[in-house]
Structure formats: structure tokens, C-alpha cells
Amino acid sequence: VGRARGGRGMEAAAGGCWAPLPAWRGLLRGLLLAVLAAGSCQGNSVERKIYIPLNKTAPCVRLLNATHQIGCQSSISGDTGVIHVVEKEEDLNWVLADGPHPPYMILLDGNLFNRRVMLQLKGTSRVSGLAVAIAKPSPPQGFSPGLKCPNDGFGVYSKDYGPQFAHCNKTVWNPVGSGLSYEDFDFPIFLLEDANETQVIKQCYQDHNVPRDGSGPEYPLCAMQLFSHMHAVTSTVTCMRRSSLQSTFSINPEVVCDPLLDYNVWSTLQPINSSGKVDPEKEVIIVATRIDSHSFFWNIAPGAESAVSSFVTHLAAAEALHKVSDVHLLQRNIMFTFFQGETFDYIGSSRMVYDMEKDKFPLRLDNIYSFVELNQVALRNDSILWMHTDPVSRMNESVEVQVRNLLDILSNSSMGANVTLQEAGYSQPLPPSSFQRFLRARHIPGVVLTDHRTAFQNRYYQSMYDTPENIRMQYPEGLSPEETLEYVTDTAKSLAEVATVVARALYQLAGGANNTSAIQADPKTVSRMLYGFLIKMNNSWFQSIIKPDIKGILGDVPQHYVAVSSPVNTTYLVQYVLANLTGTVVNLTKEECLNPEKIPSSEKEMYEYAWVQGSLDPNSTSRVPYCVRSTVHLSKALSPAFELRQWGSTEYSTWTESRWKEIRARIFLVASKELEIITLVVGIAILIFSLLATYFINAKADVLFSIPRDPRAVAY
């Protein structure tokens, strides 16, 4: 618009001298439009010729709690540097001292991604960013960027309760933990997920950046640019206060961080009124596990041993129990609970305890008869499963009697199975577990089952290497996806044995009197779950058991990070897998299933109804949907600190995730500074010359563009 107005002004200033030349003006305008159209059409192709985007990457992002910020970020316009490949520690010398073209973007071999190397890079201005290539195979010495004492300060042990066990004084649970995930880096760090993209970067480095005869390479050089600017800074207290002020006084508030949140999944063996209150005399056994994991990089959380092994075992035990004919006659009810956000200071369990204390949950703490938690269970040595209890609460005589009974029932349930249960020891504290949050509120008899007596067997706790290979999942070569889904691995058989023992013990704890030999977890079901939760979510079984409107959650590679948008894929899938394994197919139409309150006998307060896709009809491409009735429910997994607006709380989790505008990475060739300056100066000179020429032509337009008069013309 501005340019059009300027054009009309020039015509007026020239006294209308352009009026006799409409063909010239039309030609000029046509050329201008053609140039603009060509520029807009080819702008992207020009960019593609300059830049190679890296599409399969995962960034390190900023997380915050009450006192700190952790993670990484770039500058607001992204950070750029010359690429240098570091495959052994000696290669760091070029980056840190010898290289003549700082700052550098390092392509770091995954085996060197450790605390010692990272702190060296953190302490220099010669590094502008980092791209990490996944190590294959996984580092044999182990790799855990988590803490040596996970969730320290938010469990039950403190200066007031078992001080001898506080801060992992008795047992260091994660000895390989480097704490790298809890450091703050002022440069961007990305994970390269695609080996082909890693090779492209290495080839660009080989072609342009390799030092020749000890001297620096010549321009042009291969460079990388990483964008991951974070909006939040300092701490959760600061970012939540800023977001709150924005929401209060701004028409268009700009939120800078969000609390980590999701939903817990829970169901009961015998239906209860989810909107009411369980009778105070009714006793309930809670079976619990976590369903989230974490790593250094955002949304890279395979969690094979740290989460999936336990919640898959839990799901299999729930299915086995629901198949027992007399479960409706059991004296005590059983609640199957799957907590979200446990990696970040027990978000899910602390919220459930808070809701129970505030009468916002159907159960109260007084209803809990005992607590059984499945922790990491896939890496058993000699088939031994360790039973951990709390030595402090066991000093209470009544608690000790109940704990002893619980341990005896579990031990007896393992007879005849390929699982041996052993006590970790009376003086051994509880490992990091959701049970600790319940013990903070009340002395509850309970046990935590793990594959480790002291330190974790898992050498890749909270890391990108906690993959199916870590729990020894192996498939024969040449299987189709459908055959892989149905193939029963040794890992599946092993976890099914654990699920069988747990299901039999729960049956006896709940008052079951019949022989438990018929209670058996299905290895085939375990195989399907392991495949779906660890290898490929978008499989035929998962497709058949979810609602049609959420089929978009089925991505290829499963990740189990709690995130800030809820429910996440894992929560949805645990919910529908649990409903499928423990629910009942009911003969209702779609309309009735979606609106069960319209059916007098639906007992909407006791059950949840879901209209699921169903399997593909063998004779067509359409599905056969059906209605599932179950006792599966969701409850909020948001830390009470945010409900209470106590953002600096030391009682509850305060973790938030920063917001960002864009996350991307690309490589390109960069010219020398001298050439860039010369190009800039020449460009400025051409601009000044063009302005002067335009001014001169405009000033002399009446002379340059006037038409000579015909001397024979007569003026009147």
C-alpha cells in the first residue's frame, strides 16, 4: 500500500509527465509484479538451497522448581557455530583451545555425553551449542542423567522421620546417576535421533571443516544453528508470578511456564461410587505403580525398566484377578492405581493423598488396609524379587503384625512359580516409591517389590537408553509387525510370572479362600503390552481398544514423559488397556453407550462406558465397534502446590516447564568474516548509489522524460 501511494505521489510531482506513456507504466508494473511473484514462489526454494533442516531432533528444554532452573536454551535468535565432530576426548582440545574459528557447535559422540565432559564445555565461551549422537550400542558402563538419590526430600525420610535414612544416607539407589539432567546450561543441546542426519552432518564436516596439517580449515565452513529459546527464567516462583500477573492485567496474557500435570488412572476390583464416599468400615488394598519416565531430552522417555516393566506387570495382574469367579465375594476391595508425574517429586501420588485427606476422593486414608507397589521388576537376578518395607513404621506393633502377614502371603504365593521373593532386610529403607507419600500421611502396612535389594539393577535409569534392549526384549528376524505384536518374548514370560505371584497374593490379602493355582497372568497379553508401550503404539490391538475420536494419539515410538498437556498418550492407553482387560462388553448402541445416564440400569456412578473402535472386519476395511463398561477412572495429577498457589513449597512438587516459540535445527555453509564484511560494505555502497541515482532521476524527471514540442504546433 505504501509503495502504491508513493507511486501516485511521484506522478503528481512530475507534473503528470508519465501520463503520455501508459505502455511504459504498464510494462514496469508488470515486471514488478512478476519479480515479486517469482520471489514469493522461489523464496522457500532459495532457503532450501542454503539450509539443510534437521527434522529428527529432540531438544533439552528448561524446567523449573521452587528454587532452581535446569535444562538448556538458546539465545532469542538461535545460536550458531562452526561444526566440530568430537568422537574422543582428545578432540575437545580443538574446541576448547586450538581451533581458530570459535564459537563451535559440537557433534558429540553419545559415549562422551557425560558429566565430566559437559562441565568442561559449560565452563567456556568457545562453545555455542551441542548436538548429541545416540551411542549404539548403549554405553556399557551405564548412563543415568538422573540424581543418585531420586526425589530426595519429597519422600518419607527426613530429619523428623528416620533421619538415618534421609538423603540416601543408608543406600545410594542410583550410583551411576550423574545429575546431568539437573544442571543448567546456557547453550542449546539437541539429540540427533536419525542416524542418516548424523551422517549428513559428519559428511559436511569432512568436506569443509577437517583441520589440514594441523592448521585451520579454509572457508566456507559447515555451521549449525539451533533454536530453543525459553521464556521462563529463575524458578517456578518467578515464572508463575509473572504468568499470574499477565493473566490478571493483560487482555492477551503471555504465559511463560506451565505446571507438569496429567491424570492418574485408577480402578477397583469391585465397583464403587466414584462421586460418593466409600463406607469408613470398608477396607481397600491399593496396588500402585508409576507410568511416567524422563531423560535429559524433552519427550524422550522410553522408561522400559523404570516404568513400563512395572505398569505392564500391574495391568497383567489386574486382568488375572478380574477373571476369578468369586472376586465379587471378597471381603476387601482392591484398587489398581497408576500414578503420573512420579519422576518429578511424586506429583501423582502426593495429589491422591491430598485429595484423600481433603475428602475429594472416594477413598479416605483410613480405608487403606495395605499397600503393594510394583517398582522396577524386569532385571531380576536368579529370579529373585525383593520385598522392601519401612523399618520406621514397623516399630509400631500393629503395623509390624500386618506387614509380617503381607510378607508371608507374598512369599507363599511364589511357591511353584519361577519367582523367589526375599526380604530386603529390616534395616533397609524403602527405595524411591509412591508408597513413601502415603507413609508421610499415615502409618500404612505396605511393601515395594523390586528387582534390586540395594542399588538399582537399571544402569540407564531416567535416560534415553532405558529401551527394550535394556530389559532384554528380543525378537526373531523377519517378523511382520503383526507377528511381532503376538510374539511371546522371554521378558514377557518373566513379567507374567511376577504378575501371577502378585495377583495370587492380592487375592489372599483380600480374603479369598479358594485355591489360587488357577490365577494366572497371560504372557500373550504381556507381550502385546510390551510391544505397544515400548516399540510401536500404532498397532492393531491398541487401535481396536480406543475411542475413534482419540486415534490420533497412536504415534510410532512410545514416550512416557508427563508433559504439560493432558492426558498424554501413555495415560490414555493405560486407561483403555485397563478397561479392555478388566471391563465387560455390554450390548448397547453407540447412542446408549455415549449417554448411559439415559439408561435406568446403567449405574453411571459405578461404571465408566466407552465406545471403542473394535477390530477390523475380516471381510472389509471397516471396524466393528462395541461398548465397554469398566470401573476405570481418571483423577487429576497436578501438584497440590499449584492448587494452593504455594509455588515455593517444600512439601509438594513445584516442577514447571518453560514455554518456547520454536524448536528447530539446521546446517549450512558460512563464509569468512572478511567476506561477510566485504559483502555488507558492497551492499551498502550499492544501496547508497541506488538512492542517489533515484533522487537525481526524480529531481531531473521533467528534463529526462519530457517530450519535445512540435515547432509547427500553434499555442492558443
Side-chain angles (χ1 to χ4, degrees):
V1 175
R3 288 187 179 183
R5 287 177 179 171
R8 287 195 293 270
M10 287 180 66
E11 286 181 37
C17 67
W18 288 51
L21 302 170
W24 285 30
R25 183 168 61 183
L27 181 60
L28 286 170
R29 285 184 176 176
L31 287 171
L32 178 61
L33 288 172
V35 170
L36 290 174
S40 62
C41 292
Q42 296 184 14
N44 288 335
S45 63
V46 171
E47 182 177 354
R48 284 197 296 269
K49 290 178 181 178
I50 297 174
Y51 300 104
I52 299 176
L54 304 174
N55 298 316
K56 291 286 290 181
T57 62
C60 161
V61 303
R62 175 167 290 165
L63 299 174
L64 310 99
N65 65 10
T67 55
H68 292 80
Q69 65 179 30
I70 64 172
C72 325
Q73 77 155 354
S74 73
S75 62
I76 195 167
S77 57
D79 288 329
T80 305
V82 174
I83 295 172
H84 191 74
V85 175
V86 175
E87 295 180 325
K88 53 186 183 297
E89 286 205 41
E90 292 75 18
D91 296 336
L92 288 171
N93 295 331
W94 185 266
V95 173
L96 299 175
D98 301 337
H101 305 119
Y104 285 96
M105 278 282 177
I106 298 176
L107 174 56
L108 187 69
D109 184 271
N111 289 297
L112 294 177
F113 185 53
N114 55 54
R115 184 177 182 85
R116 185 181 69 260
V117 170
M118 291 304 296
L119 291 186
Q120 287 185 64
L121 302 179
K122 184 179 179 180
T124 177
S125 60
R126 291 174 58 89
V127 174
S128 59
L130 201 66
V132 180
I134 295 178
K136 291 185 179 180
S138 302
Q141 72 277 13
F143 173 75
S144 172
L147 299 172
K148 293 183 183 297
C149 188
N151 291 357
D152 186 24
F154 289 86
V156 68
Y157 302 114
S158 66
K159 60 182 177 64
D160 301 316
Y161 188 99
Q164 68 273 30
F165 305 125
H167 312 300
C168 295
N169 287 334
K170 182 77 174 179
T171 305
V172 177
W173 296 105
N174 186 29
V176 298
S178 65
L180 200 58
S181 288
Y182 296 85
E183 291 288 334
D184 183 40
F185 296 92
D186 59 0
F187 52 79
I189 304 175
F190 279 53
L191 177 68
L192 300 173
E193 299 181 76
D194 188 346
N196 291 328
E197 290 188 343
T198 303
Q199 191 55 44
V200 167
I201 299 171
K202 288 184 176 180
Q203 189 60 52
C204 188
Y205 167 79
Q206 291 289 339
D207 292 344
H208 299 278
N209 294 13
V210 174
R212 310 294 179 187
D213 301 323
S215 61
E218 297 180 358
Y219 286 96
L221 298 175
C222 191
M224 183 184 296
Q225 189 172 30
L226 303 178
F227 297 83
S228 63
H229 181 67
M230 300 288 130
H231 294 176
V233 295
T234 308
S235 68
T236 289
V237 176
T238 301
C239 78
M240 289 299 292
R241 183 177 66 243
R242 290 177 178 174
S243 297
S244 179
L245 288 172
Q246 285 270 344
S247 301
T248 304
F249 298 108
S250 176
I251 298 174
N252 297 309
E254 182 180 347
V255 177
V256 296
C257 68
D258 301 283
L260 295 181
L261 67 109
D262 204 80
Y263 287 89
N264 297 322
V265 182
W266 64 275
S267 74
T268 52
L269 193 61
Q270 301 163 355
I272 63 173
N273 188 339
S274 60
S275 58
K277 290 287 178 287
V278 173
D279 191 302
E281 282 73 42
K282 183 65 176 177
E283 294 177 329
V284 179
I285 301 162
I286 290 184
V287 194
T289 190
R290 67 174 60 190
I291 58 175
D292 68 297
S293 187
H294 179 45
S295 80
F296 185 87
F297 299 98
W298 182 76
N299 206 30
I300 300 295
E305 161 73 340
S306 60
V308 177
S309 68
S310 57
F311 75 69
V312 161
T313 305
H314 188 170
L315 288 164
E319 181 193 32
L321 272 172
H322 271 269
K323 290 179 179 178
V324 180
S325 58
D326 64 338
V327 290
H328 61 287
L329 301 175
L330 293 177
Q331 176 187 348
R332 302 180 185 95
N333 204 348
I334 299 174
M335 186 169 91
F336 306 100
T337 314
F338 301 81
F339 292 120
Q340 261 288 14
E342 295 301 274
T343 302
F344 295 95
D345 300 337
Y346 306 118
I347 293 173
S349 55
S350 63
R351 179 54 186 261
M352 184 170 282
V353 171
Y354 174 83
D355 286 344
M356 287 180 176
E357 290 176 323
K358 302 298 181 184
D359 281 340
K360 296 180 179 180
F361 195 79
L363 267 67
R364 301 176 180 87
L365 289 170
D366 292 339
N367 291 117
I368 301 175
Y369 174 75
S370 59
F371 198 104
V372 178
E373 180 169 353
L374 285 160
N375 212 304
Q376 304 179 78
V377 294
L379 299 177
R380 307 196 314 276
N381 280 335
D382 301 321
S383 299
I384 297 174
L385 200 63
W386 295 96
M387 300 182 290
H388 300 261
T389 58
D390 172 43
V392 180
S393 60
R394 288 181 69 178
M395 293 179 183
N396 180 296
E397 187 175 344
S398 63
V399 172
E400 167 62 18
V401 170
Q402 289 177 283
V403 170
R404 189 73 263 161
N405 177 58
L406 175 58
L407 296 175
D408 290 343
I409 288 176
L410 279 165
S411 297
N412 293 335
S413 299
S414 67
M415 292 182 180
N418 190 26
V419 180
T420 304
L421 277 89
Q422 293 187 14
E423 291 185 51
Y426 190 87
S427 61
Q428 178 79 14
L430 287 169
S433 52
S434 306
F435 181 39
Q436 294 200 30
R437 291 301 303 194
F438 284 80
L439 280 176
R440 284 179 72 135
R442 183 174 175 269
H443 281 178
I444 298 170
V447 62
V448 178
L449 302 177
T450 73
D451 56 20
H452 56 89
R453 182 184 182 186
T454 53
F456 295 162
Q457 295 277 23
N458 186 5
R459 295 173 298 141
Y460 305 108
Y461 183 74
Q462 290 185 7
S463 91
M464 55 195 170
Y465 300 114
D466 191 6
T467 58
E469 292 76 20
N470 186 34
I471 59 172
R472 303 162 190 155
M473 281 178 62
Q474 295 179 335
Y475 295 93
E477 293 183 5
L479 295 183
S480 67
E482 202 62 29
E483 290 170 336
T484 310
L485 172 67
E486 301 293 340
Y487 183 81
V488 179
T489 62
D490 290 340
T491 302
K493 293 175 185 176
S494 174
L495 293 179
E497 290 167 351
V498 175
T500 297
V501 170
V502 171
R504 291 174 179 177
L506 290 172
Y507 176 78
Q508 294 180 60
L509 278 170
N514 293 335
N515 189 296
T516 60
S517 59
I519 300 176
Q520 189 76 40
D522 186 359
K524 187 173 181 180
T525 301
V526 176
S527 290
R528 287 178 164 189
M529 289 190 288
L530 288 174
Y531 179 81
F533 285 113
L534 286 175
I535 296 174
K536 188 176 183 180
M537 279 188 169
N538 194 12
N539 61 73
S540 60
W541 185 48
F542 278 6
Q543 289 168 6
S544 69
I545 64 174
I546 64 170
K547 291 181 177 180
D549 57 336
I550 62 167
K551 59 185 179 182
I553 68 170
L554 296 177
D556 278 337
V557 182
Q559 304 295 345
H560 307 293
Y561 174 60
V562 59
V564 296
S565 57
S566 58
V568 295
N569 301 12
T570 305
T571 303
Y572 269 131
L573 289 170
V574 168
Q575 177 189 8
Y576 286 104
V577 169
L578 183 59
N580 177 267
L581 298 180
T582 63
T584 305
V585 177
V586 289
N587 187 23
L588 296 178
T589 65
K590 181 178 180 180
E591 181 65 25
E592 291 171 335
C593 191
L594 296 177
N595 301 282
E597 65 277 358
K598 296 180 180 178
I599 306 171
S601 60
S602 67
E603 297 181 286
K604 182 66 173 70
E605 298 80 13
M606 311 291 282
Y607 296 100
E608 293 287 331
Y609 291 79
W611 184 258
V612 300
Q613 292 193 120
S615 302
L616 285 170
D617 189 327
N619 301 318
S620 70
T621 57
S622 60
R623 294 185 176 275
V624 185
Y626 56 92
C627 186
V628 175
R629 185 185 72 183
S630 70
T631 61
V632 181
H633 307 278
L634 299 181
S635 66
K636 192 177 290 187
L638 169 66
S639 171
F642 298 100
E643 293 277 317
L644 302 169
R645 296 177 68 85
Q646 295 176 0
W647 303 320
S649 173
T650 56
E651 170 73 10
Y652 299 111
S653 171
T654 56
W655 286 104
T656 54
E657 181 185 274
S658 174
R659 289 196 177 185
W660 58 81
K661 185 177 181 181
E662 64 175 344
I663 299 287
R664 60 191 175 101
R666 59 189 185 181
I667 63 173
F668 56 96
L669 295 181
V670 62
S672 66
K673 293 293 182 185
E674 292 78 5
L675 182 57
E676 289 178 347
I677 292 172
I678 291 171
T679 304
L680 177 63
V681 170
V682 171
I684 292 172
I686 292 173
L687 174 63
I688 294 172
F689 175 78
S690 301
L691 292 173
L692 290 173
T694 302
Y695 174 78
F696 173 76
I697 292 170
N698 188 49
K700 302 295 182 179
D702 55 338
V703 176
L704 295 173
F705 301 107
S706 62
I707 300 175
R709 293 188 179 184
D710 188 346
R712 294 172 295 175
V714 179
Y716 294 95

